[in-house]
Amino acid sequence: MKELYNLISKNKENKSCVVISGIDGDIAGEKLLLIDGEIAFMNEEAEALAECQAQVQSGISAGICETTSGQAFVEHLPMGSRIIVCGAGTVGQEV
């Protein structure tokens, strides 16, 4: 699992990252990482999660993906670092 987190943290090129996590059935606990739509990481038993790859490429937002082996959660990770400023002028603060 450490490999998955290392791949996510090394995404310095602001490529799109999607993590698909099995939440029930035979795929519970399995993980798959897509970087720019391509499989970058997959657990040994996570082949069924690849079924969600087509749904992600067709525009599915974060949420539940149905596979033949159970349900999975799709999470789009933000690209790059961001600062959000609330307020305007002298009352603006970093969050």
Side-chain angles (χ1 to χ4, degrees), residues 47-64:
E47 294 88 15
L49 292 177
E51 294 175 31
C52 296
Q53 185 177 8
Q55 293 180 40
V56 168
Q57 291 172 337
S58 68
I60 186 176
S61 59
I64 303 296

Side-chain angles (χ1 to χ4, degrees), residues 13-88:
E13 299 173 16
N14 289 333
K15 295 179 179 179
S16 70
C17 281
V18 178
V19 176
I20 304 172
S21 305
I23 55 176
D24 74 1
D26 294 337
I27 56 173
E30 300 299 334
K31 300 276 187 195
L32 180 133
L33 172 66
L34 300 175
I35 297 180
D36 274 353
E38 300 296 321
I39 296 174
F41 174 86
M42 179 171 35
N43 291 83
E44 291 179 20
E45 302 295 323
E47 294 88 15
L49 292 177
E51 294 175 31
C52 296
Q53 185 177 8
Q55 293 180 40
V56 168
Q57 291 172 337
S58 68
I60 186 176
S61 59
I64 303 296
C65 170
E66 299 286 339
T67 73
T68 55
S69 300
Q71 292 183 324
F73 185 77
V74 176
E75 179 180 12
H76 294 264
L77 303 179
M79 295 187 303
S81 301
R82 296 184 177 150
I83 285 186
I84 299 173
V85 178
C86 299

